[in-house]
Amino acid sequence: MILVENLRKTFKVREKTGGKTGFSLKRKTRKVHALDGVSFSINKGELVGYIGPNGAGKSTTVKILSGILVPDSGTCVVDGLVPWKKRIAHVRKIGVVFGQRTQLFWDLPVIDTFDLLGEIYRLDKMEYKRTKDRLIAAFGIEKLLPVPVRQLSLGQRMKCELACSLVHEPSILFLDEPTIGLDAVSKLTVRDLIRKTNRESGTTVILTTHDLDDIEALCPRILIIQEGRILFDGAIENLRRKISGERRLIIDLKDSKDRITDSFVTVIEQNGPRVHLSFDPAKIHPADLIKRIIENHPVMDIFVENPPIEEIIARFYATL
Amino acid sequence: MISGLRCYWKYLKISLKGQMEYRGSFILQMIGHFFLTLLDFLGIWVLFNQFGKLKDWGLEEVALLYGTITIAFAISDTLSRGLDYCAEYVRTGEFDRFLIRPRSLLLQIIGVEFTLRRFGRLFQGLFVLAWALITLNIHWSLPKVLLMFFSIGGGTCLFVGLWIMQATISFWTVQGLEVVNITTYGGVETAQYPMSIYEKWFQNFFIFIIPLACVNFFPMLEILERPDPLAFPAWMHWVSPAAGILFLIASIFLFRFGVRHYRSTGS
């Protein structure tokens, strides 16, 4: 579906030199390698999370994939087309949502944007109506359609944005921080809709986000980019294993004065009766460890946990 | 092409609907625009009232030049105000939005806004032109009527071309775009007077580089049956408005070149 090989892109950044006033005729330009040989491939129907710090090259990649930018070198084929060579044919097949910008007409009801998009994508009347009705039902936005966009809440608007980006039934959907600024409930709704779109329509989804909960909830596979290079490509589980095999055990003790000491565990913290432990499952099987602890301490409750994804990614960056 | 027009029509309806959300403001702005631009012509009237004639051109004749160029400018202004925002789109990255739609970029940018309130200027131009036509004793013929429309059409194309060029510059820099206004707003003011009052280099600039004289002064000479003070052959007066169309085509090519630059630099 998407094949990217050795993609490179350099930007010239202007720097002002000299002069306290900031006014100078001499201008220095500095080269920034936004992409420094990026390669990956994505199959049809995948849901891939694309993460990395600001300025790592995420949006440059998405812009090249969606045909906005032309790379300096490298190849990129999306669904049989080179995006920047066949812009119009290519963009008919993709949908893009920028979380920080809107494609809806601010002063007009959402339905007007819908209708205009139908015209822009040259959809046949019947076909358009069918897709529209299906999306409205699936997204539950019937009541929002006649409301001017400026009166919608951010969560409502994002649902409409997503629906609008699917009017032409794209085979690939690029989502750039779709949950940014949303409240917890709206975030869950938007995630649900993304998952539904991916599963039910088989839409390939590429999701860039800083919200790692999005990634954990949605993406079986992640790509991590930093300084223009792909540093990790695979399942979150693999990343976990690669970074640390460690697991977490949370135990609620009967007696908050009780202290756990065991050669297989390290105590991370203890808040009253609740103790956070970490252990290596390669050295001791979780079931055996639990048995050992229960034998020696009166216990109310036990949870086994993975270290949170934030921590994994932070540690991953730290190893570089 | 047909589908393009249909799409533009849709854009237009949406733009109008958006403007109608603020109906009161829209009507006031239109009336304001009418009087503001009419003041312009009153200035000329005062001038003629004091000095009588301008190189043997009377007020009625100047009103003909004024009316036609104002109408052309007003139509272009109404149609292509969206181009004015191009610099803003490029600066904020909103321009990317246009690139991910399977339509011509110019269609989308122009479609963003159909500025109805600019009709104020159009009515004012029509008003002045009507007065000129009633006062002047023109011997009308079918070719002359056609030339009149050709002149206004050519003028509209020329101004749209200038707006497109202004938008194109924004792919390189988003500063100093006002320079182009010398040729748009300045151009309208210039073309309101007969070319013969200007210096030679200034005339040449508005004939060969930005062909304002070709879409207005030359065809109007034929309609008024006046001799050409610049001594161009008569056939040229009849075909010269085509220069506006050529100018528009050239500007579209420049725009495409600008887009290529944008897509390779991303700035």
Side-chain angles (χ1 to χ4, degrees), chain A residues 9 11 63 67-70 84 87 91-92 96 98 101 103 107-108 112 116 119-122 150, chain B residues 3 6 10-11 14 17-18 21-22 93-94 96-103 263-266:
Chain A
K9 180 80 198 168
F11 293 119
K63 280 183 182 179
I68 294 168
L69 280 183
V70 183
W84 59 90
R87 183 182 75 84
V91 297
R92 288 172 85 94
V96 185
F98 296 113
R101 289 188 221 138
Q103 61 179 327
D107 287 324
L108 296 176
D112 283 316
L116 179 68
E119 195 66 48
I120 286 179
Y121 286 100
R122 302 168 206 252
R150 59 167 192 269
Chain B
S3 155
R6 259 210 2 233
K10 192 95 202 177
Y11 266 119
I14 284 192
K17 212 172 152 191
E21 283 280 301
Y22 306 96
E94 200 66 23
D96 295 348
R97 170 79 54 213
F98 299 117
L99 282 163
I100 54 167
R101 301 260 181 260
R103 286 288 182 170
R263 294 175 72 195
S264 63
T265 58

Side-chain angles (χ1 to χ4, degrees), chain A residues 7 9 11 34-35 40 50 57-71 76 78 82-84 87 90-91 94 96 98 101 174 176 206 208, chain B residues 89-97 99-100 262-263 265-267:
Chain A
L7 221 49
K9 180 80 198 168
F11 293 119
L35 296 183
F40 57 83
Y50 196 39
K58 289 192 305 280
S59 39
T60 307
T61 317
V62 171
K63 280 183 182 179
I64 290 174
L65 288 176
S66 52
I68 294 168
L69 280 183
V70 183
C76 167
V78 180
V82 177
W84 59 90
R87 183 182 75 84
H90 170 68
V91 297
I94 63 167
V96 185
F98 296 113
R101 289 188 221 138
F174 296 101
D176 190 12
I206 296 179
T208 74
Chain B
Y89 297 143
V90 169
R91 200 176 57 77
T92 58
E94 200 66 23
F95 191 75
D96 295 348
R97 170 79 54 213
L99 282 163
I100 54 167
Y262 175 85
R263 294 175 72 195
T265 58
S267 55

